Amino acid sequence: MAYIVRAAETTAAAISATFPVLVVTGARQVGKSTMLQHLADADRTVVSLDDPNARALARTDPALFLQRYRPPLLIDEIQYAPQLLPLIKLAADRASQPGQFWLTGSQSFHLMRDVSESLAGRAGILTLTGLSSAEISGVASVPFEPDPARLIERAKMAPRLTLTDVFERIITGPLPRLWTQPSIDRETYFRPHVSTYLQRDIRDLSQVADETVFLAFLRAVAGRTARPLVMEDLARDVGVSAPTIKRWLSILVSSGLIALVPPYQNNALTRLTKLPLLHMLDTGLAAYLLGWTTPETLERGAMSGQFFESHVFAQIHASYTAAGHEPPLFFYRDKEKREIDLLIEKDGVIHPIEVKKSAAPGKSALANFRALRPLTQASPGETALRARIGHGGVVCLAADLLPLDATNSLIPVWLI
């Protein structure tokens, strides 16, 4: 099976060279163990707790487990045996060497709680997402910024994508197996994938009395991708209480299936909404849940703009997580319903981004950027509220990187 080089490899190696324990977490099937096995030297022992015998030993006699499997050690699916973590802490302290233990795990909420309690100061954590478009294209991935000079250099190496190419990537989604084994039928792959998620992960994370209702919830969430989240509306459509919806959404976030993008807040701006923006990070899964089966029908369908926007967000989000950075991503919406799809905030500079499924959006796409002007006009006594508006742009289906005005560009989607 072909291996696709991951942008996070450099980050994983740096963490392993710094901490005794490297923890790689992320959604199911995003390639955590595959990446680490690719990076592992021949002397690193690999054991998976998906193996029922290894899992039973780890749970019932963790000390014997670590005698049988000695570091340097890669333990896959560590969330199935948190009993190992205190002993890994002791072993890491005794060895005092970086990179002794590599751990992978899904269900990051419970895993991160256990890691923070048992391995504080000893573990470096990397969140792995699915494949980015850059990884699929074999292009170096760096945290995205709409800087024209950087984008011009990137245009020299990034392959151009047609409309069909883009929507093929959207409907396939980011899971590596669908790209390394393109003969796999997407529907055949996603059906057991969803069933496994419901039957294993959900039961471990929260008591779900009716899996059919939870599946309806997943479909309702997929239908709201790239939309502000109104929890009461979602609860009404699914037929459960708002507290239940809140708990289930936290499961999706901790499982790496969705991102809830916080609204940008600054007292220099008035009448801002407090609703988060919801994005499905796996657009292939979202398409499967909603019954879209081909790139052509998805591109022509009523939700094509939403899917395109979530695809763009997922690429930018992944560019930061692969580098080991917390994505500095927000969105803007005020009570007048003016929206900016994405704000990237770095070092006191705000980069506004619109996303348009269009080959030639005009300057009208920048109209809502004016809502940010009060950030640059704060009074002398409000210097803490000031922010500089940096270069922004419109990510779209344009063929080339082009200036829209002095501070904004048309950015082809294949450049992110």
Side-chain angles (χ1 to χ4, degrees):
M1 185 185 299
Y3 175 76
I4 296 175
V5 175
R6 303 307 303 266
E9 289 179 15
T10 301
T11 306
I15 293 173
S16 183
T18 305
F19 293 92
V21 183
L22 162 65
V23 180
V24 179
T25 185
R28 184 172 292 279
Q29 298 294 314
V30 296
K32 302 180 292 293
S33 58
T34 301
M35 181 186 75
L36 290 184
Q37 288 177 32
H38 177 77
L39 293 176
D41 294 330
D43 64 342
R44 185 173 294 273
T45 303
V46 178
V47 58
S48 174
L49 297 186
D50 266 333
D51 180 336
N53 292 323
R55 183 167 65 246
L57 178 61
R59 287 175 169 175
T60 58
D61 196 339
L64 180 59
F65 178 95
L66 290 179
Q67 290 178 26
R68 182 173 298 176
Y69 304 106
R70 304 191 68 81
L73 177 62
L74 164 56
I75 305 176
D76 194 24
E77 304 291 3
I78 187 65
Q79 76 275 2
Y80 292 135
Q83 298 90 338
L84 288 171
L85 294 176
L87 295 180
I88 289 174
K89 170 188 173 182
L90 294 175
D93 288 345
R94 282 196 300 266
S96 297
Q97 293 180 357
Q100 289 296 290
F101 294 92
W102 291 359
L103 313 177
T104 78
S106 306
Q107 308 173 11
S108 61
F109 175 77
H110 287 177
L111 176 60
M112 290 305 98
R113 180 194 62 195
D114 294 335
V115 166
S116 64
E117 290 175 355
S118 301
L119 298 176
R122 299 163 181 84
I125 299 167
L126 171 64
T127 300
L128 189 67
T129 65
L131 292 172
S132 68
S133 191
E135 289 170 327
I136 294 168
S137 295
V139 179
S141 175
V142 294
F144 175 80
E145 292 181 35
D147 175 66
R150 294 177 63 174
L151 293 174
I152 288 170
E153 289 302 309
R154 192 168 183 79
K156 297 175 182 178
M157 63 182 85
R160 295 168 181 263
L161 301 177
T162 66
L163 176 66
T164 301
D165 293 333
V166 172
F167 273 84
E168 180 67 37
R169 294 192 176 188
I170 290 173
I171 202 168
T172 301
L175 298 183
R177 192 177 173 199
L178 292 171
W179 290 100
T180 58
Q181 296 179 264
S183 61
I184 294 176
D185 177 73
R186 282 189 291 264
E187 185 170 351
T188 302
Y189 177 82
F190 277 118
R191 189 182 302 113
H193 181 71
V194 171
S195 177
T196 298
Y197 176 69
L198 286 171
Q199 294 175 5
R200 294 178 63 178
D201 293 354
I202 294 304
R203 285 176 182 170
D204 287 345
L205 284 167
S206 177
Q207 294 297 316
V208 175
D210 190 335
E211 291 180 3
T212 303
V213 175
F214 191 86
L215 183 58
F217 161 73
L218 284 179
R219 292 192 174 113
V221 167
R224 286 167 167 80
T225 193
R227 292 289 182 263
L229 173 63
V230 182
M231 210 165 303
E232 293 76 12
D233 291 349
L234 182 56
R236 183 185 63 248
D237 291 350
V238 177
V240 297
S241 67
T244 297
I245 290 292
K246 185 176 181 180
R247 186 175 72 252
W248 287 359
L249 284 169
S250 72
I251 293 172
L252 299 192
V253 172
S254 67
S255 300
L257 292 185
I258 67 170
L260 295 180
V261 189
Y264 183 73
Q265 300 290 326
N266 187 301
N267 288 338
L269 303 172
T270 59
R271 298 178 59 78
L272 296 177
T273 184
K274 295 184 178 180
L275 298 175
L277 186 68
L278 187 153
H279 281 293
M280 287 282 291
L281 295 177
D282 186 339
T283 53
L285 175 61
Y288 166 76
L289 290 169
L290 296 173
W292 300 102
T293 59
T294 69
E296 295 78 16
T297 55
L298 179 59
E299 188 275 320
R300 296 173 189 143
M303 290 189 65
S304 61
Q306 288 174 248
F307 271 83
F308 183 70
E309 185 179 333
S310 285
H311 170 72
V312 169
F313 174 85
Q315 305 312 305
I316 295 174
H317 182 272
S319 75
Y320 283 92
T321 58
H325 299 163
E326 184 69 24
L329 307 179
F330 303 86
F331 91 107
Y332 178 93
R333 191 171 192 261
D334 59 28
K335 299 299 176 59
E336 284 73 43
K337 297 187 178 179
R338 293 180 297 180
E339 295 186 7
I340 302 172
D341 294 327
L342 193 62
L343 299 178
I344 303 173
E345 183 180 35
K346 294 191 69 177
D347 301 320
V349 180
I350 306 294
H351 301 277
I353 302 292
E354 270 296 303
V355 182
K356 297 292 183 186
K357 186 198 158 231
S358 169
K363 289 187 178 181
S364 61
L366 308 175
N368 289 340
F369 289 7
R370 291 193 292 267
L372 300 176
R373 285 179 180 171
L375 292 174
T376 66
Q377 300 167 349
S379 67
E382 299 176 320
T383 54
L385 305 180
R386 283 181 177 270
R388 186 164 66 87
I389 309 303
H391 206 90
V394 183
V395 178
C396 59
L397 294 164
D400 296 292
L401 176 68
L402 296 169
L404 265 177
D405 60 22
T407 57
N408 296 285
S409 305
L410 285 182
I411 304 171
V413 66
W414 49 267
L415 281 183
I416 61 174

